[in-house]
Every structure is written in structure tokens, then in C-alpha cells.
Amino acid sequence: MRTRHVNLLITLIAVVLFSFSCFCISRMTQTSNQLTNCRNHISEFKESILRLKNKTERNRQELLNAFKEMKLDISEKEHDAQNAVEKKVNASDTNETVSDAFEVLKFFFPHLRKVDRLYPDVIMGREKTGVTFALGISTVNRGNYSYLKQTLTSILSRMTLPEEKDSVVIVSIADSNENYVKSVVDMITKKFKRQVTSGSLEVISIPAYFYPNISHAARSTDDSEKLESWRIKQVLDFCFLMLYAQPKAMYYLQLEDDILANKMYLTKITDFVHNITSNNWLYIEFSVLGFIGKLFKSEDLTDFVRFFLMFYKDKPIDLLLGDIFLVKMCTPGEALEKCIERNKHIRIRYKPSLFQHVGIQSSYPGREQYSKDIYY
């Protein structure tokens, strides 16, 4: 009997152990399945992340391509606009007003009579007309020295926006060196793009065929002949620039490429001109130096140019400016004192000067100049 109880107990224990083993195996299988499912979920999550990353990369590339296309489109439009602004003027499409302004040159220079149309080599700008002031700046290559950017910054930054709208600054490149011409055009295009686009700043280049035969003096070893050639060319450069500017504005202000302007200079000029009671003035001096800061009525420019061209071989242009006063305003036999007294009403001087000469390296190669306006 006792043996039977022992066997029954053993059987019961075996059943319990078997059941527990089955339970453990079942739980382990379930856990394994859960782990497998978890690994599958993680794998799916990684695949989702990878797909999202790839999609994000595609979107980024598409966005970059879209930006590149937009940038290219803007660049092409700017290039097209620049081509419309900066163009080579040729004999078939030269603006009639510009061309006709230079016809007076054919009277003085027979070699130009063979040219069908006289025009600048380069016109960059919108050929603005109908403004109050045209400001002319003639520039040439000074080797390693350049004051033009500083001058233009001073001239343009000290205008108000209404003054800028009612004026045009004209830079005349009086140099046949193509690299120099390109460097000036590139500098102005980059530094003063807004003014060029608005038409407030223009660039012209004087064609080499314009000049009469003075090259022999330039090639001479005689310094006096070289200086004479340089002085003659300077007079002609100013004449060309004045003729180009004449149809554009009511007044023409002659400047140089190595000066600084006083604050509110154009406001002061406008107020001064409007307060002059008589319109019988010949020109107004806003600087006592040379040909800087001389204001002319545009309607008188052709007469000035004719006079300069008659005597361009004889004197510098600032001295010719004094001579034209004597010719036009002093009558034969008149006492010099009376002529000088009338000078005060015809050649008007404004003080203090509104422009200061800052260039040291002269446009004449190898020469330095330190002249300053003491009234500035």
C-alpha cells in the first residue's frame, strides 16, 4: 500500500513537471515570437526611416535644382537687361540726338568728314535726357593709381534720391587701352549697378578715330612735345564729353576723376542757381582749381566747344575758359577795369568751394601734383 502511494506521488510530480515544462516551453516560444515581431518592427521602422531619408534627400535635391533654375533665370534676365543697357552703338542705330551733337566736330577736323556717323564706342546706361543736371567726368589710365571709384562714391552718395533722379553722371573713358576700358566698365557695373540701371550713371568711351594726328608728339622723346600732346588731348576729351552731355540736361557741371564732393553739394548748387537774379551769367565756379566744378548752361555748350576747338593747340582748357570771357564780354577800346567789374556778374564764384582735388598722381605719366582748393 505504501509503495502504491509512493508511485502515485511520483506520477503526480512527473505530471506537474511535464506541465511546467510545457508551460515554460510555451512562454519561451511566445517570447521568441514577440522578439521576432519586435525585430521585424524595428526592421520596418529602419526601412521607413531610410525611405523618409531618401525622400528628404530627393526633396532637397529638387529644391536645390529649383533654386539653381531660379538663380539661372534671374541671372539670364539680368544679363539680358545689362545687354539692353550696355550696347555698342553703331552707324545704323545711333541715336540721332547723340549723333547730331557731334556734327560740329567735322568743321574743325576734316578727317572726320569721312565718317558717316560720330558716336561713342561704348554707351552704358539708359541715355537719360530731360534732367536738370548733367555731371561730366573724363577719366584716363593712371597706371597703378585710380581715384575714379572714390570720386563716384563721393558724387553719388551725396545726392538725395530726388536729385539723383533729376540728374545724370557721365563717365567718359578717354583711353584706347581695351583692358582699362573693360576694368572701368566692370568696376562701375559692380559698384554702381543701381545707378546704372536707373539711368543716373552712364559710361561712354571716346573712339580713337576722333583725335587728329597728334600721335607723333606722343611718340617723341622730347618731354615738351609729350606734354603738349597730353594737353591737346585733354582739351579734345573735354569737348567730346560736353557735346555728348549737351542734349541731356539744362545745366552741365564739369568735374574730374580725382575729386571729392562736399556734403549736399547739388542742393547748394540748385539753391544758388535759383537765387541768381540775372540769367546773363557765362558760367559759375564751384571750385577755383582748373576746370573742376564749372557749371554751364547746356544751351551755351556748343559755343564753348567751338571756341575751345579753335584754339585747342594753343592753351590748356582752363586758360581758354578765361579767354572766352575776354572775347565775348569785353568790347574793343573798353577800359580793362570795367571789363573786370563786369566779370563778377558774368563769371560767378561760389564760396566755399564744393569740390576738392585729391589726386596726387597726374593723368600725365610720371607727374605728381599736390594742388588743393584753399576755399574748400
Side-chain angles (χ1 to χ4, degrees), residues 245-257:
Q246 192 271 336
K248 292 179 169 293
M250 185 181 301
Y251 301 103
Y252 174 74
L253 180 64
Q254 181 64 61
L255 301 173
E256 293 187 7
D257 65 347

PDB file of all heavy atoms in Angstrom, residues 245-257:
ATOM      1  N   ALA A 245      26.990 115.489 -73.507  1.00  0.00           N
ATOM      2  CA  ALA A 245      26.101 115.853 -72.398  1.00  0.00           C
ATOM      3  C   ALA A 245      25.101 116.936 -72.782  1.00  0.00           C
ATOM      4  O   ALA A 245      24.037 117.045 -72.165  1.00  0.00           O
ATOM      5  CB  ALA A 245      26.943 116.328 -71.210  1.00  0.00           C
ATOM      6  N   GLN A 246      25.421 117.733 -73.777  1.00  0.00           N
ATOM      7  CA  GLN A 246      24.623 118.932 -74.096  1.00  0.00           C
ATOM      8  C   GLN A 246      23.118 118.671 -74.259  1.00  0.00           C
ATOM      9  O   GLN A 246      22.301 119.414 -73.708  1.00  0.00           O
ATOM     10  CB  GLN A 246      25.205 119.594 -75.357  1.00  0.00           C
ATOM     11  CG  GLN A 246      24.673 120.976 -75.641  1.00  0.00           C
ATOM     12  CD  GLN A 246      23.417 120.952 -76.505  1.00  0.00           C
ATOM     13  OE1 GLN A 246      23.205 119.991 -77.246  1.00  0.00           O
ATOM     14  NE2 GLN A 246      22.597 121.972 -76.374  1.00  0.00           N
ATOM     15  N   PRO A 247      22.686 117.615 -74.967  1.00  0.00           N
ATOM     16  CA  PRO A 247      21.233 117.425 -75.153  1.00  0.00           C
ATOM     17  C   PRO A 247      20.510 116.860 -73.937  1.00  0.00           C
ATOM     18  O   PRO A 247      19.283 116.738 -73.960  1.00  0.00           O
ATOM     19  CB  PRO A 247      21.148 116.423 -76.320  1.00  0.00           C
ATOM     20  CG  PRO A 247      22.529 116.245 -76.833  1.00  0.00           C
ATOM     21  CD  PRO A 247      23.443 116.604 -75.721  1.00  0.00           C
ATOM     22  N   LYS A 248      21.231 116.498 -72.901  1.00  0.00           N
ATOM     23  CA  LYS A 248      20.639 115.739 -71.817  1.00  0.00           C
ATOM     24  C   LYS A 248      20.008 116.578 -70.713  1.00  0.00           C
ATOM     25  O   LYS A 248      19.050 116.152 -70.074  1.00  0.00           O
ATOM     26  CB  LYS A 248      21.693 114.817 -71.184  1.00  0.00           C
ATOM     27  CG  LYS A 248      22.144 113.691 -72.091  1.00  0.00           C
ATOM     28  CD  LYS A 248      23.182 112.843 -71.409  1.00  0.00           C
ATOM     29  CE  LYS A 248      23.436 111.571 -72.187  1.00  0.00           C
ATOM     30  NZ  LYS A 248      22.273 110.671 -72.201  1.00  0.00           N
ATOM     31  N   ALA A 249      20.560 117.761 -70.453  1.00  0.00           N
ATOM     32  CA  ALA A 249      20.186 118.470 -69.227  1.00  0.00           C
ATOM     33  C   ALA A 249      20.125 119.975 -69.451  1.00  0.00           C
ATOM     34  O   ALA A 249      20.589 120.496 -70.467  1.00  0.00           O
ATOM     35  CB  ALA A 249      21.192 118.146 -68.118  1.00  0.00           C
ATOM     36  N   MET A 250      19.585 120.654 -68.464  1.00  0.00           N
ATOM     37  CA  MET A 250      19.519 122.109 -68.505  1.00  0.00           C
ATOM     38  C   MET A 250      20.872 122.731 -68.173  1.00  0.00           C
ATOM     39  O   MET A 250      21.266 123.744 -68.758  1.00  0.00           O
ATOM     40  CB  MET A 250      18.456 122.612 -67.506  1.00  0.00           C
ATOM     41  CG  MET A 250      18.222 124.107 -67.546  1.00  0.00           C
ATOM     42  SD  MET A 250      16.975 124.620 -66.332  1.00  0.00           S
ATOM     43  CE  MET A 250      15.565 123.659 -66.875  1.00  0.00           C
ATOM     44  N   TYR A 251      21.600 122.088 -67.238  1.00  0.00           N
ATOM     45  CA  TYR A 251      22.910 122.586 -66.829  1.00  0.00           C
ATOM     46  C   TYR A 251      23.939 121.465 -66.928  1.00  0.00           C
ATOM     47  O   TYR A 251      23.615 120.288 -66.747  1.00  0.00           O
ATOM     48  CB  TYR A 251      22.869 123.114 -65.394  1.00  0.00           C
ATOM     49  CG  TYR A 251      21.890 124.236 -65.167  1.00  0.00           C
ATOM     50  CD1 TYR A 251      20.669 123.993 -64.544  1.00  0.00           C
ATOM     51  CD2 TYR A 251      22.175 125.535 -65.572  1.00  0.00           C
ATOM     52  CE1 TYR A 251      19.756 125.015 -64.337  1.00  0.00           C
ATOM     53  CE2 TYR A 251      21.275 126.570 -65.371  1.00  0.00           C
ATOM     54  CZ  TYR A 251      20.064 126.298 -64.751  1.00  0.00           C
ATOM     55  OH  TYR A 251      19.159 127.316 -64.555  1.00  0.00           O
ATOM     56  N   TYR A 252      25.169 121.875 -67.193  1.00  0.00           N
ATOM     57  CA  TYR A 252      26.276 120.911 -67.272  1.00  0.00           C
ATOM     58  C   TYR A 252      27.336 121.290 -66.259  1.00  0.00           C
ATOM     59  O   TYR A 252      27.821 122.435 -66.240  1.00  0.00           O
ATOM     60  CB  TYR A 252      26.880 120.899 -68.669  1.00  0.00           C
ATOM     61  CG  TYR A 252      28.126 120.040 -68.772  1.00  0.00           C
ATOM     62  CD1 TYR A 252      28.031 118.656 -68.785  1.00  0.00           C
ATOM     63  CD2 TYR A 252      29.396 120.616 -68.847  1.00  0.00           C
ATOM     64  CE1 TYR A 252      29.175 117.855 -68.869  1.00  0.00           C
ATOM     65  CE2 TYR A 252      30.534 119.833 -68.936  1.00  0.00           C
ATOM     66  CZ  TYR A 252      30.424 118.452 -68.950  1.00  0.00           C
ATOM     67  OH  TYR A 252      31.546 117.667 -69.028  1.00  0.00           O
ATOM     68  N   LEU A 253      27.719 120.337 -65.388  1.00  0.00           N
ATOM     69  CA  LEU A 253      28.733 120.556 -64.365  1.00  0.00           C
ATOM     70  C   LEU A 253      29.965 119.741 -64.713  1.00  0.00           C
ATOM     71  O   LEU A 253      29.906 118.520 -64.797  1.00  0.00           O
ATOM     72  CB  LEU A 253      28.200 120.134 -62.988  1.00  0.00           C
ATOM     73  CG  LEU A 253      29.158 120.299 -61.807  1.00  0.00           C
ATOM     74  CD1 LEU A 253      29.483 121.769 -61.577  1.00  0.00           C
ATOM     75  CD2 LEU A 253      28.565 119.685 -60.538  1.00  0.00           C
ATOM     76  N   GLN A 254      31.087 120.450 -64.924  1.00  0.00           N
ATOM     77  CA  GLN A 254      32.329 119.775 -65.278  1.00  0.00           C
ATOM     78  C   GLN A 254      33.103 119.370 -64.019  1.00  0.00           C
ATOM     79  O   GLN A 254      33.409 120.201 -63.167  1.00  0.00           O
ATOM     80  CB  GLN A 254      33.207 120.689 -66.132  1.00  0.00           C
ATOM     81  CG  GLN A 254      34.516 120.052 -66.558  1.00  0.00           C
ATOM     82  CD  GLN A 254      34.293 118.855 -67.474  1.00  0.00           C
ATOM     83  OE1 GLN A 254      33.733 118.999 -68.555  1.00  0.00           O
ATOM     84  NE2 GLN A 254      34.705 117.665 -67.029  1.00  0.00           N
ATOM     85  N   LEU A 255      33.407 118.064 -63.926  1.00  0.00           N
ATOM     86  CA  LEU A 255      34.182 117.541 -62.808  1.00  0.00           C
ATOM     87  C   LEU A 255      35.385 116.782 -63.358  1.00  0.00           C
ATOM     88  O   LEU A 255      35.574 116.691 -64.566  1.00  0.00           O
ATOM     89  CB  LEU A 255      33.317 116.625 -61.939  1.00  0.00           C
ATOM     90  CG  LEU A 255      32.065 117.264 -61.324  1.00  0.00           C
ATOM     91  CD1 LEU A 255      31.218 116.202 -60.629  1.00  0.00           C
ATOM     92  CD2 LEU A 255      32.451 118.365 -60.349  1.00  0.00           C
ATOM     93  N   GLU A 256      36.215 116.249 -62.466  1.00  0.00           N
ATOM     94  CA  GLU A 256      37.331 115.410 -62.870  1.00  0.00           C
ATOM     95  C   GLU A 256      37.279 114.111 -62.081  1.00  0.00           C
ATOM     96  O   GLU A 256      36.461 113.963 -61.158  1.00  0.00           O
ATOM     97  CB  GLU A 256      38.661 116.147 -62.678  1.00  0.00           C
ATOM     98  CG  GLU A 256      38.798 117.341 -63.622  1.00  0.00           C
ATOM     99  CD  GLU A 256      40.178 117.981 -63.569  1.00  0.00           C
ATOM    100  OE1 GLU A 256      41.077 117.427 -62.898  1.00  0.00           O
ATOM    101  OE2 GLU A 256      40.356 119.055 -64.195  1.00  0.00           O
ATOM    102  N   ASP A 257      38.147 113.172 -62.427  1.00  0.00           N
ATOM    103  CA  ASP A 257      38.049 111.827 -61.856  1.00  0.00           C
ATOM    104  C   ASP A 257      38.857 111.648 -60.576  1.00  0.00           C
ATOM    105  O   ASP A 257      39.025 110.514 -60.096  1.00  0.00           O
ATOM    106  CB  ASP A 257      38.484 110.778 -62.886  1.00  0.00           C
ATOM    107  CG  ASP A 257      39.954 110.897 -63.269  1.00  0.00           C
ATOM    108  OD1 ASP A 257      40.561 111.934 -62.931  1.00  0.00           O
ATOM    109  OD2 ASP A 257      40.492 109.969 -63.901  1.00  0.00           O
TER     110      ASP A 257
END
